[in-house]
Structures are given as structure tokens and as C-alpha cells.
Amino acid sequence: MPVYRDEAVVLRTHKLGEADRIVTLLSRQHGKIRAVAKGVRRTASRFGSRLEPFMVADLQLYEGRTLDVITQAESLGAYGALIADDYASYTAANAMVETADRLTDAEASLQQYLLLVGALRSLSRREHPPTLTLDSYLLRALSLAGWAPSFQDCSRCGRPGPHDHIVVQLGGVVCPECAPNGAPRVDAATIGLLGALLTGDWSAAEDADEATRSKANGVVSAYTQWHLERGLRSLQHVHHDVPATDEKGSA
């Protein structure tokens, strides 16, 4: 059977039999892969710890009729344990890998792979608050999938902004003429934060206050759930850096 190598990040795992696991991977060159890792649940396994969620590895696999089989695994990014040590990072990472699983298929998507690896690396290094990292990842991943939001010009007619209505079903901010009745108004600080998260302007993002971060998170969550059609189960468990505010109706 054909043997191949690829870099991949582990999205999730499932038990198979007494000692094996089915591992779902997002790879650099082959898109999403489901493969069997034989014997990895035994204590003597040579590479079991390298195939845990959030880990990045250089893999050798051979093609099977239904599932490929992992024969070698060398660690490239040991992010799993570092992320699991912090609950906020762990819940954010779970939402990221679930999103990547939903957005990708068997066709290669180098940009999605690099985006996910970069986000997990950032979480493991505690570079930014976990919910900001998650919100930035979600906006960028959806953009790569063809659902780029607009936080400046009207997402419906293109009228130059800034605008203060956001309608996730229409793709972001909308001008007064395009805004449906009852469309929520969002303050300039929140829209500014959303734009910073989309472009990776971390200096501006981290300057935002707690209430602004909370409102931006609500918009990102609604935008993600709308475009993925089915809710992300992991989002309900995400640990927020700040408590919820009573201003949720304004976002």
C-alpha cells in the first residue's frame, strides 16, 4: 500500500478496540485525515503522547481501504500539555479544533492548517488572552472559508463606513438603509476590536476594556454559529476572560 509523510495537527481522537485509537488530523498537504494509531493506548507505546489533541507531528502513514494507518510520529509542536494546564486555553483550543474539523475536508488547505497551528502555538505560549486568540482565529478561519466579515463598509451594498449596525446574517456591519428593523447597534469600540481581531492588530485588541471584549465575543460567536449552521458544542464551555455583562442586548 502507498506510504506517505505529512505534517498534521491532531483535532480529536476516539478509542478503537482495547489499545488503538482513531485520530482525526488536519494535515499540511492532504487536508483532513482519519487514521488508525495502533497500540497507542498501551503504556509502552512509542508515540502515544504525540497523538493527543492539539499536538503537531511529522507523520508517516500508509493508505488503507477505509482508514489510513499511522506508522511513525515525530513531535513538531508539543502544545497539548501546555494548553491543558490552563482551563481558559483548553476550552478555547477545543473550540478551535472543532471549527477546523467543520471547515475542512479531504482537500488540502495550507492556510487553514497554518492558521490553526499558529493559534494553538499562541495559546500554549500565553501570548494573548485566550478568548481574544479564539475570536481572532474564528474570524480568520471563516474568512479563509469564504465568509469574510466586513467591519468597515456595508456588507450588503458596499457603502463606505463606519456604520454602527451589525447583522451577522448579512456579513457584518450594514448601513442605515440596509439595516433591517430592529438591527442592533454596536458601539465604535466594539467594532474597532472586531476589526483588530480580524487583521491581527494585537496592540489594539489588548487595549480594549472588559465590556468591549465581552460584546465583541458575542458578535463573533453569533457569526460563527450562523455560518456553520449547526452550533459548536465546544463554544458553550469556553471560559471567558471576563464575566458576562448586562449589556449583551447591545451586541
Side-chain angles (χ1 to χ4, degrees):
M1 296 181 180
V3 175
Y4 65 98
R5 298 192 72 91
D6 204 348
E7 297 176 13
V9 56
V10 179
L11 303 181
R12 55 192 170 91
T13 65
H14 297 287
K15 293 179 181 178
L16 178 66
E18 294 184 357
D20 305 338
R21 277 200 181 107
I22 295 175
V23 185
T24 302
L25 307 150
L26 179 60
S27 71
R28 186 183 185 99
Q29 302 176 47
H30 295 82
K32 192 162 65 179
I33 300 169
R34 294 183 76 239
V36 176
K38 295 183 178 295
V40 295
R41 291 162 53 206
R42 297 193 181 103
T43 55
S45 171
R46 291 176 294 122
F47 51 75
S49 62
R50 302 168 195 168
L51 296 173
E52 295 294 332
F54 321 137
M55 301 292 277
V56 182
D58 178 30
L59 305 175
Q60 178 174 288
L61 309 95
Y62 70 81
E63 295 181 6
R65 283 184 294 181
T66 55
L67 296 172
D68 295 352
V69 178
I70 300 170
T71 57
Q72 292 180 12
E74 299 296 333
S75 178
L76 296 176
Y79 307 135
L82 295 172
I83 289 172
D85 279 346
D86 178 68
Y87 183 71
S89 297
Y90 177 74
T91 56
N94 272 297
M96 289 176 183
V97 296
E98 184 182 354
T99 300
D101 195 5
R102 296 273 292 276
L103 288 177
T104 57
D105 52 29
E107 295 184 5
S109 177
L110 177 60
Q111 289 179 306
Q112 290 283 7
Y113 169 78
L114 293 175
L115 178 67
L116 179 60
V117 170
L120 294 175
R121 182 190 302 119
S122 180
L123 280 179
S124 73
R125 295 175 177 176
R126 314 288 192 264
E127 292 177 350
H128 312 291
T131 54
L132 288 183
T133 303
L134 171 60
D135 287 345
S136 180
Y137 168 79
L138 292 174
L139 291 174
R140 295 189 196 185
L142 289 166
S143 297
L144 290 175
W147 297 310
S150 173
F151 298 123
Q152 178 64 30
D153 299 336
C154 178
S155 59
R156 188 173 186 183
C157 72
R159 181 178 176 181
H163 305 296
D164 62 358
H165 292 88
I166 285 186
V167 181
V168 296
Q169 297 88 336
L170 296 179
V173 297
V174 291
C175 66
E177 286 73 16
C178 292
N181 290 335
R185 290 181 180 273
V186 179
D187 60 88
T190 300
I191 294 175
L193 173 56
L194 290 166
L197 293 171
L198 180 60
T199 60
D201 184 350
W202 288 107
S203 177
E206 293 184 338
D207 282 344
D209 61 29
E210 295 180 353
T212 300
R213 293 185 189 185
S214 180
K215 287 184 282 187
N217 175 261
V219 173
V220 175
S221 297
Y223 192 78
T224 302
Q225 306 272 27
W226 170 261
H227 285 289
L228 293 183
E229 296 181 355
R230 289 180 291 117
L232 289 175
R233 289 175 297 175
S234 53
L235 270 186
Q236 63 185 307
H237 302 297
V238 168
H239 176 86
H240 295 279
D241 306 317
V242 297
T245 71
D246 61 0
E247 298 177 294
K248 61 183 179 179
S250 63

